[in-house]
Amino acid sequence: MSDAPIFRPQYHFTPATNWLNDPNGLVYYAGEYHLFYQHNPFEPAPGPMHWGHAISADLVNWTRLPIALYPDEHGQIYSGSAVVDWRNSAGFGEEALVAIFTHHLEHRQAQSIAYSTDKGRSWTKYGSNPVITPPDDLRDFRDPKVFWFEEDGKSGKWVMVLAAGKRVLLFTSPNLKNWSQASAFGPGHGAAEGVWETPDLFKLPVDAGPNFRWVLTVAVADGAPAGGPGVQYFVGEFDGETFTTSGNERQIRWADYGADFYATQSWSDEPNGRRIWVAWMNNWRYASNIPTTTWRGALTLPREISLKTTPQGVCLVQQPVAEIQQLRGDHWRWRNETITPGGPNLLRDLKGTALEIIADFEVNDTLTAGQYGLRVRTGDDIYTTVGYAINSRKLFVDRSNSGQVQFSASFPGTHTAALEPDGDSIRLHIFLDRSSLELFGDDGRATLTELIFPGITCDGIELFAVGAEIRLISLDVYLLEPVTFLEMTV
Ligand code: FRU
């Protein structure tokens, strides 16, 4: 029996069949956002990794293309990145796309490259792979993310960040083929309960102004706030060789507080100068057991990331890309309502399994108790609670009773993120799909990303208040239209 109509996301990226994990090779070229991904084409479970491939003109509607990279004598194709070689530094051809990835053999991980001169439709592996072999004792040595670095009129170079145990190694190269190690970051920084994976490094303006900081993001396999894997980030400086942090920027910072946000990667060459990233929306603790059958694994919405100055320092903020708004269909709105504990369900006539919800609730200093928010995907005594707790100043998602939860002891539970009000309201911006929930708290100052598996009949929604009444300043709910997935076999 196919689960497709029940759990298949309507507007999140999934493989047509079988397994997906990390996003890979994100690069924009000639009108197309390329998305490659860790893919086992033989079963909906981890196995021999290939690079699956899709393209999009708008980050919303996708065309799935044939597999781009197959395992070979050097091993499986693990995670990595892609760039446009604008200067033909590698000599593979004008404007070649070059993929830089990990070749994984049972006892060795090494970095290799492949290129395409036909807009990513066909790929040739470099004849002298691998281009970086691990020092003898290093078992975890993977996930190269490469970018072009050029500053102060000096001649440029390629920079690679690579996960190596609980460190990030930085390499530089003139031509993508010959690499030398420039520096290392960690240990002694960040969360180190698990091995580090899929690093990324990029520069972002602070508060959309003239000053820039560098951001190093690193997935860590254990110890994240929701239990298990998560993505941490560091704000610091990068001089082309070394990444450094100082002061309170040494503290651990998490990109997302939900259970299902891992292995982020940002797009190279984004045409509008935005920094957009996407994560694998799953968790290695139960990734192979989630109750889908013909396919397994989805990506988050593409999110635009930026830096904002806060009392805690310069922090990462995430927003869904504006392109998603094209999916908005039927619209309901409420203004200035009071939500009382046990009161009537204002939203009783509203139904949907794919919704965007924007709710602004009042918060002020006289409010010291209570919780409020929304119960979503309700029906048949099933619900997921998304809310804000006034006394602890925390956003939360409780998926204990969200539908199928028994497939892993790690799945049910409540996950939280601290969020101090900035003004006199808190915004809950929620994207619901058939088997996921993404919560952007206060314009993305804190986010929680969670899988949920309610039945298709769980399509209700209600507002709630516990312990005190609360004023709902505004509520907008949009039905989201399904996106188009085209399949192209040649
Ligand atoms: C992260 C990861 C990477 C690795 C890939 C293998 O989820 O473990 O470190 O390259 O997945 O599929």
Side-chain angles (χ1 to χ4, degrees):
M1 192 191 86
S2 165
D3 55 66
I6 301 176
F7 296 134
R8 175 76 83 171
Q10 301 294 286
Y11 60 93
H12 285 84
F13 186 82
T14 51
T17 55
N18 295 315
W19 174 261
L20 165 149
N21 60 295
D22 310 356
N24 293 153
L26 305 182
V27 63
Y28 177 91
Y29 178 63
E32 295 171 338
Y33 289 91
H34 288 265
L35 161 66
F36 300 85
Y37 53 92
Q38 287 289 277
H39 182 47
N40 174 8
F42 303 114
E43 54 173 340
M49 291 302 179
H50 298 55
W51 273 26
H53 189 193
I55 49 170
S56 172
D58 60 7
L59 293 164
V60 176
N61 298 290
W62 293 94
T63 300
R64 298 189 186 105
L65 296 177
I67 287 171
L69 296 173
Y70 286 78
D72 58 33
E73 71 277 16
H74 298 294
Q76 301 176 35
I77 314 297
Y78 267 21
S79 285
S81 53
V83 294
V84 187
D85 187 4
W86 292 108
R87 295 160 192 80
N88 197 12
S89 68
F92 292 142
E94 291 302 318
E95 300 188 8
L97 294 182
V98 180
I100 309 97
F101 55 89
T102 299
H103 256 131
H104 170 86
L105 276 180
E106 208 168 322
H107 300 294
R108 190 181 83 158
Q109 297 186 329
Q111 318 320 317
S112 292
I113 58 178
Y115 60 92
S116 167
T117 49
D118 59 359
K119 295 173 65 185
R121 299 319 191 262
S122 67
W123 289 83
T124 307
K125 301 221 184 75
Y126 174 49
S128 302
N129 278 340
V131 294
I132 307 180
T133 51
D136 290 344
D137 55 341
L138 218 50
R139 171 70 187 76
D140 293 303
F141 188 68
R142 58 179 177 270
D143 308 342
K145 175 72 162 76
V146 173
F147 64 95
W148 181 255
F149 178 88
E150 195 174 310
E151 248 175 25
D152 303 334
K154 289 188 217 133
S155 65
K157 62 188 170 192
W158 296 104
V159 174
M160 175 194 293
V161 282
L162 186 71
K166 293 178 181 179
R167 295 193 302 167
V168 169
L169 303 184
L170 291 93
F171 291 80
T172 58
S173 170
N175 57 12
L176 297 164
K177 296 171 174 167
N178 305 105
W179 293 91
S180 44
Q181 192 183 329
S183 66
F185 179 80
H189 293 81
E193 282 184 45
V195 76
W196 289 13
E197 300 184 307
T198 62
D200 201 346
L201 178 62
F202 43 81
K203 191 170 143 180
L204 282 178
V206 179
D207 302 320
N211 298 324
F212 289 83
R213 302 298 304 277
W214 284 83
V215 181
L216 176 66
T217 66
V218 186
V220 54
D222 206 356
V231 176
Q232 57 180 334
Y233 70 92
F234 306 90
V235 177
E237 305 301 330
F238 178 63
D239 62 4
E241 305 266 314
T242 311
F243 177 80
T244 48
T245 55
S246 57
N248 72 356
E249 289 175 341
R250 292 252 159 108
Q251 287 162 7
I252 301 174
R253 301 243 175 105
W254 297 101
D256 188 285
Y257 286 79
D260 300 298
F261 188 84
Y262 200 63
T264 43
Q265 186 175 121
S266 69
W267 261 275
S268 291
D269 293 275
E270 204 285 326
N272 306 301
R274 297 176 295 180
R275 184 57 58 171
I276 297 170
W277 74 353
V278 69
W280 176 40
M281 192 156 56
N282 211 335
N283 182 318
W284 276 121
R285 287 200 172 170
Y286 47 71
S288 313
N289 305 111
I290 60 171
T292 63
T293 53
T294 57
W295 60 278
R296 197 169 274 125
L299 299 179
T300 63
L301 291 176
R303 301 173 179 190
E304 183 170 356
I305 51 185
S306 57
L307 290 177
K308 184 178 164 69
T309 305
T310 75
Q312 289 75 43
V314 176
C315 291
L316 203 63
V317 171
Q318 303 183 59
Q319 287 277 269
V321 292
E323 286 91 330
I324 307 289
Q325 290 173 16
Q326 68 186 266
L327 299 179
R328 288 178 177 173
D330 291 356
H331 178 201
W332 296 264
R333 45 177 278 166
W334 287 263
R335 294 291 179 271
N336 202 15
E337 301 278 351
T338 299
I339 314 301
T340 48
N345 180 14
L346 268 183
L347 313 182
R348 65 189 158 271
D349 297 330
L350 211 160
K351 301 250 172 285
T353 55
L355 297 176
E356 180 183 357
I357 303 159
I358 308 172
D360 285 337
F361 293 92
E362 187 175 61
V363 186
N364 61 47
D365 291 342
T366 64
L367 290 177
T368 53
Q371 291 185 358
Y372 60 79
L374 295 120
R375 291 194 196 96
V376 299
R377 301 297 311 272
T378 66
D380 309 328
D381 291 328
I382 283 167
Y383 54 88
T384 302
T385 311
V386 183
Y388 187 69
I390 299 272
N391 57 350
S392 59
R393 302 283 198 237
K394 278 184 176 161
L395 283 177
F396 65 90
V397 176
D398 179 357
R399 63 177 180 183
S400 310
N401 195 35
S402 57
Q404 292 197 40
V405 299
Q406 310 84 344
F407 55 87
S408 162
S410 306
F411 190 80
T414 302
H415 303 131
T416 64
L419 182 65
E420 284 297 329
D422 181 12
D424 53 9
S425 66
I426 285 282
R427 169 168 291 186
L428 304 181
H429 189 176
I430 303 166
F431 287 84
L432 288 179
D433 204 341
R434 289 278 168 86
S435 50
S436 63
L437 182 164
E438 287 169 271
L439 167 62
F440 297 84
D442 251 4
D443 298 324
R445 285 198 291 128
T447 64
L448 285 111
T449 303
E450 303 269 335
L451 293 179
I452 48 171
F453 299 98
I456 197 117
T457 54
C458 299
D459 58 358
I461 173 170
E462 60 193 54
L463 289 154
F464 76 90
V466 175
E469 65 176 37
I470 190 84
R471 198 166 77 84
L472 175 71
I473 302 166
S474 66
L475 173 67
D476 289 273
V477 182
Y478 300 90
L479 211 56
L480 295 182
E481 303 292 342
V483 306
T484 316
F485 282 102
L486 297 176
E487 311 286 336
M488 213 178 273
T489 46
V490 281

